[in-house]
Amino acid sequence: MTTQPPRKSLDPVTFEVLKNSFITSVDQMAEQILRTCYSFVIYNRDFSSGLHDAQGNSVAQGNQDIAVHVGTLHFTCKAVIEAFEKDIHPGDVYAINDPYAGGTHFNDVRLIRPIFVQDTLLGFSQSNGHWSDVGGSVPGSFDVTAREMFKEGLRITPVRLFAKGQFCKDVAQLIASNTRDPASIIGDIHAQAQATQVCEREMIRLSEKYGVETVIEGMGAVQDYVEKAVRQRLAALPDGEWETQDFIDCDPLSGEGMIPIKVKLTIQGDRAIYDFSGSHPTIGSIYNSAFGSTFSAVVAGMKTFFPDLPLNSGFYRVFEVIAPENSIVDARWPVAVTGFLMPFEKIMNAIYEIWSQIMPERATACAFNLEYLLTGGRDLRHKEKPIFMFYDWLPGGWGGRNGKDGANVTTASFGVGLMSQPVEGQERANPILTTAFQIQTDSAGPGKWRGGLGVVKTSIMRDAQDPVISYICDRERAVVWGINGGLPSMPHGLTLTRAKTGKPEWLGSVFSDMPIESGDIFSRPTAGGGGFGDPLERDPSLVLEDVIDEYVSIERAAKDYGVVIHAIDPEICAYELDMPATEQLREQIRSQRVAWMRSDPTEVARWYQEGKIDQLDAVRQYGVILEWDTGTLLPKSTQQFREMLEKRTIAQWQQ
């Protein structure tokens, strides 16, 4: 990407007013969506909006827009411009959800409106919302067994939904009829279209006040401003190369072993290059990322370390992304990509790790991985037995930071504007009752600065006909990791207790279209964040506070932190810190922990099978990855996990 030619300068006051007005116009789109959408998923802020110039470049995003979407909006806007070119008119609205044209996955449907002031094309407004179902082989359109997109749902290449202000009802009905909830889809189409009109009205108002040329100048100037600011900051950093990798749990077609995503950052003067060479080829499931999503992950990861700057296409000009074609980070049609979020968050966390070395004052360990639970069937609470679609996600923990614990119970790094869905609304819309939703004790990765805490949610299926359940997650094996000597969090996975047997069954972190019955109970925790720094250096008084708050159990306080605490009266939070025993235990752990991490994995698996150690012992003390239901050793995954621990954790212990 090249630097744009210099523009006529706006006076500072007008520039600042326009810069903030552009952002406000996008925020107003969000307010419109929240008040008019039909989908409970969109209502809980699984949407984003954007303002673009006449070439499709991003000018502004909203303050709560989801990171995963924002870095792709300019691609889909440009795809619409290319598709319709000289056939763009006032009152038109176009739809697109095509991941291979720069989108994310098929559920993220974008509506794009050209903004005209008299005869001048000023730019475009765009509303992107996650539709809870776009067809495909399973409710919710997340079939983890899909190898090609044909099982994933409807692919919408650029199409006109409004022509010069007239609603193209036939096209909208065609799209909606290929989903499991056509009424909501039609409602959301109108809600998103109206949101783009809100932005259009605001841009027309600004043009009438300041003049069309001034507004166009401002749209370019805000991009130049961001580009200049980022280039100056990059130029102030030392040139160099940094590289790391993270993993997807597995490729179902390739047997056991985690799937690497490799990232190398090169800073040369005032520009950056992100090179994904060496990343794994596309895999036989939906956990692949098309280029647009990979680009967006780079944007979101890097932008985290420049939090004070607005985000627009000026930011994109300062870096280059090299992604090998047909790799897991550059999947091509028709490879399945609906689960793109799994590589997306690995890329973000890898970039966090790299930038934590460059800017140690902002350093952060790995954050938890977002998960999706999708349950569908017929709702027997109503005489007409309507189709229901329960689409849920949970908050979790972010990584420990330099000088501060990680954030507890926070939405995922892919988009912190996302809300945690209220169970009351879910229960009204679906025959599913939530029986428990609470912080998960011991879910945080131990460290001098521990990770944030995750949660556990338990639900029971009520009156439903032929319900099925799907779970889309990762990090059952590539467990959330710590840095600078910090320890990992905990594996993801769902447990199902069938009403007929009453016996809990571990189903793991990824499955689709599993039949369940009324009365079945499903429970899943989210991981906490990884630890930052050596847990044996954590202030024992902070560990005591964590025990009082039920963030850490007494048992794990001893095992993970070497802190000995005695319970006096837990009912009144009375505990006693035993400092002499703590000093003795810490010295013992310090002398033995490296050897523990290098124990024979076969022996560790046997101890787990015999009940001598638990899941957290296997991960945090021994660095061993197992099939968590049977205790079967996963040798290749263990080797990869231990190599990661050697670099991120053990190397720091030995300094």
Side-chain angles (χ1 to χ4, degrees), residues 11 14 53 88 156 195 245 299 321 355 421 490 504 518 558 560 582:
D11 69 86
T14 302
D53 63 21
I88 297 174
I156 306 171
Q245 66 179 344
V299 171
V321 175
W355 278 96
Q421 298 183 44
M490 57 176 287
S518 297
D560 296 333
T582 292

Side-chain angles (χ1 to χ4, degrees), residues 341-352:
L341 184 62
M342 303 308 149
F344 181 97
E345 289 199 348
K346 307 306 187 300
I347 295 168
M348 280 194 71
N349 280 289
I351 289 174
Y352 286 170

Side-chain angles (χ1 to χ4, degrees), residues 301-624:
M302 182 175 171
K303 177 64 172 63
T304 303
F305 288 79
F306 299 85
D308 55 312
L309 295 175
L311 182 62
N312 57 43
S313 285
F315 192 89
Y316 311 156
R317 298 174 191 161
V318 304
F319 65 83
E320 175 187 356
V321 175
I322 300 172
E325 186 175 339
N326 295 317
S327 69
I328 195 171
V329 294
D330 188 14
R332 303 296 177 96
W333 181 89
V335 172
V337 294
T338 295
F340 81 96
L341 184 62
M342 303 308 149
F344 181 97
E345 289 199 348
K346 307 306 187 300
I347 295 168
M348 280 194 71
N349 280 289
I351 289 174
Y352 286 170
E353 182 183 18
I354 288 173
W355 278 96
S356 292
Q357 298 172 49
I358 300 169
M359 295 183 176
E361 69 279 6
R362 293 190 181 277
T364 180
C366 183
F368 87 105
N369 205 104
L370 187 68
E371 43 86 76
Y372 294 134
L373 177 70
L374 303 103
T375 308
R378 295 279 180 176
D379 190 345
L380 295 181
R381 298 176 302 171
H382 306 282
K383 187 169 72 172
E384 63 275 18
K385 299 181 183 179
I387 292 176
F388 74 91
M389 254 308 309
F390 179 82
Y391 174 50
D392 192 29
W393 58 80
L394 294 179
W398 280 52
R401 294 162 284 178
N402 188 354
K404 204 166 188 178
D405 292 340
N408 297 329
V409 192
T410 304
T411 48
S413 56
F414 103 115
V416 292
L418 196 67
M419 292 175 61
S420 182
Q421 298 183 44
V423 297
E424 296 84 359
Q426 291 179 326
E427 290 171 352
R428 181 175 180 179
N430 305 279
I432 294 173
L433 177 68
T434 296
T435 58
F437 192 6
Q438 61 194 37
I439 285 178
Q440 175 80 342
T441 302
D442 293 328
S443 58
K448 181 178 182 179
W449 304 104
R450 61 158 173 78
L453 276 294
V455 300
V456 59
K457 186 173 184 178
T458 302
S459 303
I460 182 170
M461 177 60 65
R462 302 304 292 267
D463 300 326
Q465 177 182 315
D466 300 326
V468 295
I469 187 171
S470 301
Y471 192 50
I472 315 303
C473 192
D474 204 57
R475 295 207 185 276
E476 181 182 356
R477 301 175 184 178
V479 182
V480 173
W481 37 264
I483 62 172
N484 288 29
L487 286 171
S489 173
M490 57 176 287
H492 276 148
L494 182 144
T495 300
L496 177 68
T497 303
R498 296 194 179 273
K500 288 182 177 179
T501 66
K503 183 178 179 180
E505 179 185 359
W506 172 268
L507 298 182
S509 65
V510 53
F511 56 86
S512 286
D513 209 26
M514 176 170 289
I516 58 174
E517 297 179 355
S518 297
D520 288 355
I521 298 170
F522 41 94
S523 179
R524 85 268 194 200
T526 57
F532 183 99
D534 188 341
L536 297 186
E537 295 178 5
R538 185 166 177 82
D539 186 337
S541 66
L542 294 179
V543 179
L544 176 61
E545 287 298 317
D546 285 342
V547 169
I548 292 171
D549 291 335
E550 298 183 2
Y551 291 173
V552 176
S553 66
I554 288 179
E555 179 185 20
R556 298 251 47 112
K559 286 185 175 181
D560 296 333
Y561 294 97
V563 175
V564 179
I565 296 171
H566 303 297
I568 307 302
D569 188 347
E571 289 295 321
I572 60 172
C573 297
Y575 296 87
E576 182 181 71
L577 177 61
D578 188 336
M579 280 305 300
T582 292
E583 292 171 2
Q584 182 179 0
L585 180 58
R586 283 189 161 182
E587 188 58 37
Q588 177 187 343
I589 293 173
R590 191 174 284 113
S591 66
Q592 296 180 2
R593 58 184 176 177
V594 174
W596 290 340
M597 284 288 186
R598 295 170 182 170
S599 300
D600 181 353
T602 305
E603 286 293 294
V604 176
R606 182 173 60 81
W607 299 338
Y608 180 85
Q609 293 163 6
E610 294 173 351
K612 294 178 179 179
I613 64 171
D614 61 18
Q615 188 185 70
L616 292 182
D617 293 332
V619 169
R620 294 177 184 172
Q621 283 189 281
Y622 300 103
V624 171

Side-chain angles (χ1 to χ4, degrees), residues 59-120:
V59 173
Q61 68 168 102
N63 283 307
Q64 281 189 262
D65 282 337
I66 294 178
V68 67
H69 299 157
V70 171
T72 67
L73 295 181
H74 65 295
F75 287 126
T76 44
C77 190
K78 290 175 182 288
V80 164
I81 294 171
E82 181 180 356
F84 289 93
E85 204 168 359
K86 297 180 181 179
D87 190 22
I88 297 174
H89 310 281
D92 284 356
V93 178
Y94 312 96
I96 179 174
N97 77 342
D98 190 353
Y100 313 107
T104 48
H105 56 190
F106 299 105
N107 296 77
D108 286 338
V109 183
R110 293 102 190 275
L111 267 62
I112 300 171
R113 179 187 295 271
I115 301 172
F116 285 86
V117 179
Q118 297 174 350
D119 294 329
T120 301

